[in-house]
Amino acid sequence: MQLFSSKERVGKSIGFVPTMGYLHQGHISLVQQSKKENDITIVSIFVNPTQFSPNEDLSKYPRDYDRDHQLLLDAGCDVLFYPDSEEIYPKDFQTFITVDEITQKLEGEFRPTHFRGVTTIVNILFNIVQPHKAYFGQKDAQQCAVISKMVDDLNMNLSIVVCPIVREDDGLAMSSRNVYLSPSERNDALVLSKALKEADSLIKKGERDSFRIKSEMISILKSVDTSEIDYAEIVDFKSFEKVSVLEEGKHYLLLIACRIGKTRLIDNQIISI
Ligand code: PAF
């Protein structure tokens, strides 16, 4: 990886992958996509304190700088931005960005200050890096929608690219948090992807009643003792409004947030009728 002066950026397209580190193949797929579409790919690693609430353990978030650095070198990342917390949030920091409606639902109900922290850090990083395109993973579907709304509403001069969820061979969506799971919890965690798969297959068979589809997801999630469901929902793809009947020609998201033991996992699937 190398340093680029502002002169060297001129005329070059910049792709940006913001991360909180502890990288996995999901992050690397974003780097690969950025490399395909841009001259320079910049990755940031910053565990952002403002998106954690006091009851979520920021200090325990997994970190492994050396491993991340090597993975990024192997992936051909051009620049790694690895700021300190004090550089990003100096003592007198007092400005936050809030997207109103879409942040109140689902994740917002369970993590009320989370998206304010995300939109604020993403803004700060965009201002520092000044990318032409920024890459996010579909696994954080609501985060992608919130960031896209912010970019649209504030006429920010970049494009958001959302890349598909990357899964382990057995279906578990890749996440830095999977490291918290014990071997038996890792097995139980498969109920998230199974519930989505089963719901998708019901819809493919013609089921349109969201209550029945949700009931199926919930019963699969509850089939393991370690699970505690925050939500299992069907929402409109754009507005994140809950729906009761699925209509032809529309796009939806099946969304799950579920604790397996102490680890909170999220997963989702896009549905087009
Ligand atoms: O998705 C994440 O890892 C984080 O929410 C992000 C976008 C890097 C902001 O801290």
Side-chain angles (χ1 to χ4, degrees), residues 30-49:
L30 305 180
V31 174
Q32 287 163 343
Q33 192 60 32
S34 170
K35 281 184 66 66
K36 270 190 216 153
E37 297 180 1
N38 301 282
D39 298 320
I40 299 172
T41 291
I42 302 179
V43 174
S44 64
I45 296 180
F46 180 66
V47 183
N48 174 37

Side-chain angles (χ1 to χ4, degrees), residues 17-21 27 44-49 51-52 61 114 117-119 121-122 125 135-137 140 143 147 176:
V17 182
T19 81
M20 298 208 299
H27 297 110
S44 64
I45 296 180
F46 180 66
V47 183
N48 174 37
Q51 69 190 76
F52 289 79
Y61 194 83
H114 172 68
V118 170
T119 42
I121 186 61
V122 167
L125 294 171
Y135 295 79
F136 295 88
D140 296 300
Q143 167 171 283
I147 291 170
S176 306

Side-chain angles (χ1 to χ4, degrees), residues 35-126:
K35 281 184 66 66
K36 270 190 216 153
E37 297 180 1
N38 301 282
D39 298 320
I40 299 172
T41 291
I42 302 179
V43 174
S44 64
I45 296 180
F46 180 66
V47 183
N48 174 37
T50 61
Q51 69 190 76
F52 289 79
S53 64
N55 66 329
E56 295 171 338
D57 203 346
L58 165 69
S59 64
K60 286 217 176 108
Y61 194 83
R63 293 163 170 89
D64 189 342
Y65 176 80
D66 292 341
R67 183 176 154 277
D68 287 349
H69 184 233
Q70 191 56 52
L71 282 171
L72 291 173
L73 281 172
D74 295 346
C77 162
D78 297 299
V79 179
L80 169 57
F81 180 49
Y82 183 61
D84 281 344
S85 198
E86 300 72 39
E87 284 178 85
I88 297 292
Y89 297 115
K91 268 205 178 77
D92 60 345
F93 186 89
Q94 48 190 295
T95 306
F96 289 86
I97 303 283
T98 312
V99 175
D100 266 350
E101 275 171 41
I102 199 171
T103 58
Q104 311 289 311
K105 304 163 203 200
L106 298 151
E107 281 302 283
E109 284 172 40
F110 291 89
R111 307 179 73 193
T113 56
H114 172 68
F115 286 123
R116 179 177 106 128
V118 170
T119 42
T120 301
I121 186 61
V122 167
N123 246 281
I124 295 170
L125 294 171
F126 285 175

